[in-house]
Amino acid sequence: MLDQRADAAVPDSTRQVQPSNVFQPSSSTLSLGERSTIGKSLLIKGEITGSESLYIEGTVEGSVNLPGDRVTVGRDGRVSANIAAREIVVLGEVVGSCEAADHFDIRSKGSLCGDIVVSRISVEDGAFLTGSIDIRRESVIETVEHEQVEFSQVN
């Protein structure tokens, strides 16, 4: 009869074992893309730039410049800064100008005191908005690129 304890001690070469301290992101984490979060207890003073989306639950004073990404000001977020991003979502409080290349969305509990430059905007019932709204159809660069594409397709 075989000793089963001896078989159990021999490692299986086809089975891969990873250390328990290695972070394994879930599939839902991978589908979100890269996003940084400023937590409730954090205060940031200065300029924020980068190339990933940002979720703000804390306090930011200065400027936020993420032209290709989304900036979300959470319910507990307090921002005293100018924000420039592809998409801006306000659930908390913003004091400053906002420039969104694509979409600006202010939710029911959100407030903005400042000017907005955007191509699309959504304002839910209950939101507070003070300032001017400048809705632009397309930027000059996009218009020129679009006309060049149409011209090259005709020729």
Side-chain angles (χ1 to χ4, degrees):
M1 189 147 92
L2 287 174
D3 184 8
Q4 292 180 354
R5 285 177 283 145
D7 289 341
V10 176
D12 183 3
S13 62
T14 61
R15 191 179 93 184
Q16 294 182 357
V17 178
Q18 293 187 352
S20 61
N21 63 350
V22 174
F23 174 71
Q24 291 293 321
S26 66
S27 61
S28 63
T29 304
L30 294 174
S31 65
L32 288 175
E34 292 188 39
R35 180 181 91 169
S36 294
T37 300
I38 297 174
K40 291 180 185 181
S41 66
L42 295 178
L43 165 64
I44 307 287
K45 291 184 178 185
E47 180 180 346
I48 298 173
T49 61
S51 60
E52 62 185 67
S53 295
L54 179 63
Y55 190 85
I56 302 169
E57 278 291 337
T59 303
V60 173
E61 298 174 3
S63 66
V64 178
N65 187 15
L66 302 170
D69 297 291
R70 170 189 262 195
V71 173
T72 303
V73 179
R75 292 211 184 277
D76 293 319
R78 303 291 171 254
V79 177
S80 295
N82 294 332
I83 302 173
R86 179 182 49 81
E87 188 175 347
I88 301 170
V89 179
V90 178
L91 302 145
E93 179 182 316
V94 176
V95 176
S97 298
C98 294
E99 185 170 346
D102 183 31
H103 186 249
F104 180 87
D105 186 12
I106 184 167
R107 303 286 172 84
S108 63
K109 302 281 184 184
S111 69
L112 171 71
C113 184
D115 299 334
I116 304 169
V117 177
V118 69
S119 60
R120 296 183 306 133
I121 186 169
S122 316
V123 180
E124 282 188 0
D125 286 343
F128 179 80
L129 176 60
T130 300
S132 66
I133 302 171
D134 184 359
I135 299 177
R136 299 190 178 165
R137 290 188 181 161
E138 285 184 280
S139 71
V140 175
I141 295 171
E142 290 173 348
T143 303
V144 170
E145 288 174 353
H146 182 68
E147 289 174 357
Q148 288 175 346
V149 169
E150 287 181 356
F151 180 74
S152 65
Q153 289 175 349
V154 172
N155 291 329

